[in-house]
Amino acid sequence: MSRRVVITGGASGLGLAMARAFLREGDHVAVCDADPAAVAGTPAGMRAEVADVTDEATMGDFLARIEAEWGGADVVISNAGIGGPAGPVEALDFADWQRCLSVNLDGAFLTCRWAARVMKAQGAGLILLTSSVSGLFGFPWRTPYVAAKWGIVGLTKALASELGPHGVRVNAICPGAVEGPRMDRVVAMEAAARGETEASVRARFAESAALRRFVSAEEVAASALFLASPGAAAISGQALAVDGLNERVT
Ligand code: NAD
């Protein structure tokens, strides 16, 4: 039976890769995204709306429309996130810290609060949150992002414990460095902040992974499909790293 899947930040990058993966399974997919051009470019067959996950009213309207039309949701993926600034903590702007925490954590709160209500009523459901390997280790020069992504893992574990008795599973996916434009931007930002070449930052990221390589968006999407499959029925409260990253980071 086809599932009802909601994905935030789903008009590009990992969110879109996950949306495509669920579409291929024959599921109903609805995404929201803050980027109108990306929303306009989403493939046919999925529902896409412009909504900023940090805006309570806009998100409330988006989710209310889904609820009115679908009556609930089977899989909700809180995925929207931004990388935030790179640099030594004493050089960072408070506004950049706040924006990074807001998109990553406020957005997750608003999305999960809705998902918890509708899934408790259904007595079933899966919430996935996109954290990062930054939510498992202490990367230097990325304090806002690391703090936000550890926060996502904390939210995952608290929600899993709270919602488990109601038949709702909650897991985090922690991608490593994913090939694509987003990682290109992160590499460029870190290279500028550290005075290194982009090639050396890229090589350092790859070297710190057990597999010594970046991963693809499709590999991350495949982990979301697995967590939504019957084979993952007993998996909740977990933070699944999809990259084989070692703790050795410099
Ligand atoms: P991306 O920038 O390619 O895509 C993110 C999408 O989220 C974009 O379409 C963007 O418009 C949207 N978005 C940004 N702010 C938003 C907001 N306030 N409201 C709604 N939508 C918003 O990035 P991505 O790599 O696909 O990242 C997706 C998630 O994966 C993020 O949470 C990110 O932190 C996480 N992640 C990415 C990587 C990586 O290497 N790409 C690694 C680990 C974790």
Side-chain angles (χ1 to χ4, degrees), residues 150-170:
W150 276 77
I152 292 290
V153 173
L155 181 61
T156 299
K157 290 183 180 290
L159 283 174
S161 179
E162 187 172 320
L163 301 178
H166 302 277
V168 179
R169 294 185 300 116
V170 188

Side-chain angles (χ1 to χ4, degrees), residues 35-135:
D35 180 350
V39 166
T42 51
M46 66 190 236
R47 176 189 180 126
E49 289 190 29
V50 177
D52 184 324
V53 289
T54 66
D55 184 326
E56 185 177 13
T58 312
M59 275 306 281
D61 288 347
F62 166 67
L63 294 168
R65 279 191 290 277
I66 302 280
E67 195 173 345
E69 206 167 300
W70 287 357
D74 303 300
V75 180
V76 172
I77 307 181
S78 172
N79 166 76
I82 57 170
V89 67
E90 66 274 20
L92 300 184
D93 286 338
F94 184 46
D96 291 338
W97 161 272
Q98 287 181 309
R99 181 70 187 154
C100 182
L101 263 69
S102 180
V103 176
N104 284 291
L105 279 174
D106 295 351
F109 168 75
L110 292 173
T111 306
C112 291
R113 185 177 64 177
W114 175 80
R117 181 175 58 72
V118 300
M119 289 178 180
K120 270 172 92 167
Q122 294 166 181
L126 168 68
I127 299 174
L128 292 178
L129 297 97
T130 310
S131 178
S132 163
V133 290
S134 296

Side-chain angles (χ1 to χ4, degrees), residues 12 14 33-34 52-53 79 130 145 149 176 178 182-183 185:
S12 65
L14 293 179
D33 200 288
D52 184 324
V53 289
N79 166 76
T130 310
Y145 187 67
K149 293 305 193 185
V178 180
R182 152 76 173 259
M183 208 58 211
R185 290 196 299 273

